[in-house]
Amino acid sequence: MSCKGLFGQEAWVRYISEHEMPVLRDTVAKLEQIAKDDTASLSQLGQAILHDHGLTARILRIANSACYNRGRQQVTTVSRAVVMLGFKAIKQICITAQMLDTLLADHRMDPNVYQRLVLLIARSLLAGMLVKKLLHKNDADTQEEYFLAALMRRLGEAAFWRSNSDVAIFLDEQLRFAEQHHKSIEYQQGLVRDLLGTSFERMSQGLATSWHLGATVEASLADEPEKNYLMRALMLADGLSAELISIHPNGKKKQQYEAKIGQLLGVGPQTVEKEIQSCQQGTIELMNAYGAGRLVKYLNVKDMVLPADSEIAVSNEALQLKILHELTNMAVEKVDINMVMHSALEGIYRGIGMDTVLIFMLTRDRRGLKPRFVSGKDSVHLKDDFEVEIGREKNLFAHSLQSFEPIWCRSHHDKWQRFISAKLLKLTPESGFFIAPLAVEKRSIGLVYADRKLGHIELEETSFVAFQHFVQQTNLCLTKMMHPNG
């Protein structure tokens, strides 16, 4: 869609939402839905993330970075990362990751427009790190809220440049001419309003309201933001980042921002300089953790220290061992049972490499199985549709529960054929599946199911053995947790 003819805040917000950043808009909506659901848990947030392999890898990289993991053990699973970081941090990471993916996806942009875009993103990330530093005495949730607010302040402008449209190229030409002739900021803002019918700030305001980005983001974009400590910190971080990452830096304005930051923190100029350098170094690590290392050069940092690559390639077998070890530790840590289930699910899904994994729990009357934990494509539909009766009919799931036997059904026509009910025939793939009972002291409480229905890799003996190990370890963990003195 062409941007020609678009004029005014409403038109640009609609265009950005529907054509430039629909995936980011939907990601924000999904996270907001989970946040509003009183019955949702951190483990459910983990399940929502797990099917996206790229996002899973980035969350683990970030959870193990110095920004979040100071001297702790390596985080192996999404479930552990979610519990360690908390909802607001994970929400911010998901939104940041999706935003960077969207904004940096196209390398074939007009070079001048692309430079504006990447400078803007680099400033926003540095502003986020600066505001977290200024709010270091506040709780982690507040720091994450204001990091996100710093990032979203420039969302409207970033989305506009990302369009790489004729309008964007024309406006860039006008702004470059104005910059070269030392025209005022007010003059440049007038050029934007005359061409677009709105300001970049108004675009960001409209997106924040339309996408429900939260009270803190919306308050930071108000025409006259509150002058409390938190908002002052955000505005100083935003202003200083713009001076630190600029084609036309203003040394005097930079010094003014640094002086105000010194007053806010109650420290002298040398300490302020060290804190800024620390933030710049942290931003470098964060950019690399997000897979956006190409932004590092725009930080203009002298003698930068590039972080060691924390993402070590881990084989499936090594990942399985790490998660099995985590399950063992959970038995003595007295963690939430939901976390045990989610870690087991993640171990089977990521460690063994399955396409679908479900953990069923018995209904109260023990006459049915309902999926409680799900990973895989269309996980929402799987959770709604994959309910199995075991009281009225003899089927393979019922047989596994009664016999406490792990089963590899190789196809709908193997030796288990007579146990494949019409419902299982519809719900399970012809290529086969694994099942095994969850049990505590010889009493079945549920069942674990896994398949490779996409057909990229066939089921084989090694995977079945690994599947059994995970279910056995989960059963041991549950038994230990329910009977700690047994």
Side-chain angles (χ1 to χ4, degrees), residues 74-95:
Q74 186 179 27
V75 180
T76 308
T77 62
V78 169
S79 51
R80 177 72 72 175
V82 168
V83 170
M84 184 185 94
L85 300 180
F87 180 83
K88 288 193 175 179
I90 292 292
K91 175 184 175 182
Q92 179 265 106
I93 291 167
C94 289
I95 291 173

Side-chain angles (χ1 to χ4, degrees), residues 33-85:
Q33 186 178 16
I34 293 172
K36 285 182 177 178
D37 184 355
D38 293 335
T39 64
S41 64
L42 287 175
S43 62
Q44 284 173 288
L45 174 61
Q47 288 179 59
I49 293 165
L50 197 55
H51 74 277
D52 185 330
H53 297 289
L55 184 56
T56 296
R58 264 178 293 188
I59 284 176
L60 292 176
R61 273 205 306 268
I62 292 160
N64 285 303
S65 70
C67 302
Y68 288 98
N69 193 344
R70 299 186 183 278
R72 301 180 188 176
Q73 292 183 337
Q74 186 179 27
V75 180
T76 308
T77 62
V78 169
S79 51
R80 177 72 72 175
V82 168
V83 170
M84 184 185 94
L85 300 180

Side-chain angles (χ1 to χ4, degrees), residues 207-384:
L207 290 169
T209 303
S210 175
W211 293 7
H212 306 290
L213 287 172
T216 301
V217 176
E218 291 186 39
S220 73
L221 290 163
D223 292 336
E224 294 185 14
E226 294 180 31
K227 294 182 179 179
N228 58 37
Y229 180 90
L230 297 172
M231 209 56 73
R232 280 175 60 211
L234 176 60
M235 297 307 162
L236 286 173
D238 184 67
L240 179 59
S241 69
E243 294 306 322
L244 291 169
I245 304 175
S246 175
I247 300 173
H248 307 289
N250 185 321
K252 186 176 180 181
K253 285 183 72 175
K254 175 177 172 288
Q255 288 178 352
Q256 289 172 346
Y257 280 120
E258 289 175 347
K260 289 178 181 178
I261 284 173
Q263 291 171 3
L264 197 71
L265 293 175
V267 297
Q270 288 184 329
T271 303
V272 169
E273 190 63 35
K274 286 180 181 177
E275 296 290 6
I276 291 171
Q277 289 172 2
S278 172
C279 283
Q280 289 171 320
Q281 190 58 48
T283 307
I284 291 170
E285 181 168 357
L286 200 67
M287 287 172 171
N288 282 294
Y290 276 110
R294 77 187 87 160
L295 297 174
V296 169
K297 64 183 179 182
Y298 297 101
L299 289 173
N300 302 321
V301 177
K302 295 178 182 178
D303 304 320
M304 70 175 69
V305 180
L306 293 175
D309 189 357
S310 61
E311 188 184 16
I312 301 167
V314 179
S315 69
N316 281 3
E317 291 79 7
L319 183 58
Q320 289 172 31
L321 289 172
K322 283 176 178 290
I323 299 178
L324 285 168
H325 182 66
E326 279 201 11
L327 282 169
T328 303
N329 290 339
M330 285 178 191
V332 294
E333 288 176 2
K334 297 180 181 179
V335 300
D336 182 75
I337 286 179
N338 288 333
M339 187 173 173
V340 174
M341 298 297 194
H342 192 268
S343 294
L345 179 114
E346 189 172 347
I348 296 168
Y349 185 71
R350 288 177 57 221
I352 305 176
M354 307 303 286
D355 295 328
T356 308
V357 184
L358 298 98
I359 296 181
F360 295 86
M361 302 305 291
L362 279 166
T363 55
R364 285 183 179 274
D365 60 8
R366 299 182 67 82
R367 299 175 70 84
L369 286 165
K370 295 187 72 171
R372 281 281 305 279
F373 304 88
V374 182
S375 277
K377 195 174 181 181
D378 297 325
S379 58
V380 174
H381 294 110
L382 280 170
K383 200 166 186 178
D384 291 339

Side-chain angles (χ1 to χ4, degrees), residues 31-175:
L31 290 166
E32 188 65 20
Q33 186 178 16
I34 293 172
K36 285 182 177 178
D37 184 355
D38 293 335
T39 64
S41 64
L42 287 175
S43 62
Q44 284 173 288
L45 174 61
Q47 288 179 59
I49 293 165
L50 197 55
H51 74 277
D52 185 330
H53 297 289
L55 184 56
T56 296
R58 264 178 293 188
I59 284 176
L60 292 176
R61 273 205 306 268
I62 292 160
N64 285 303
S65 70
C67 302
Y68 288 98
N69 193 344
R70 299 186 183 278
R72 301 180 188 176
Q73 292 183 337
Q74 186 179 27
V75 180
T76 308
T77 62
V78 169
S79 51
R80 177 72 72 175
V82 168
V83 170
M84 184 185 94
L85 300 180
F87 180 83
K88 288 193 175 179
I90 292 292
K91 175 184 175 182
Q92 179 265 106
I93 291 167
C94 289
I95 291 173
T96 304
Q98 188 58 63
M99 189 184 86
L100 291 173
D101 278 355
T102 302
L103 293 175
L104 297 174
D106 193 353
H107 301 275
R108 298 164 297 176
M109 294 176 64
D110 176 272
N112 293 311
V113 171
Y114 181 75
Q115 185 180 48
R116 285 193 186 276
L117 175 63
V118 292
L119 283 172
L120 206 61
I121 300 169
R123 282 176 198 152
S124 297
L125 287 170
L126 178 57
M129 293 299 288
L130 284 166
V131 78
K132 286 180 79 169
K133 178 70 74 174
L134 294 176
L135 301 181
H136 69 281
K137 291 184 179 178
N138 293 80
D139 60 81
D141 279 355
T142 300
Q143 291 179 38
E144 296 302 336
E145 278 184 31
Y146 280 82
F147 180 99
L148 187 62
L151 206 64
M152 295 294 111
R153 280 183 61 74
R154 309 289 181 179
L155 182 62
E157 184 177 358
F160 171 77
W161 294 123
R162 191 255 183 202
S163 72
N164 196 40
S165 61
D166 292 342
V167 177
I169 294 169
F170 178 69
L171 180 58
D172 167 69
E173 290 171 352
Q174 285 196 312
L175 289 174

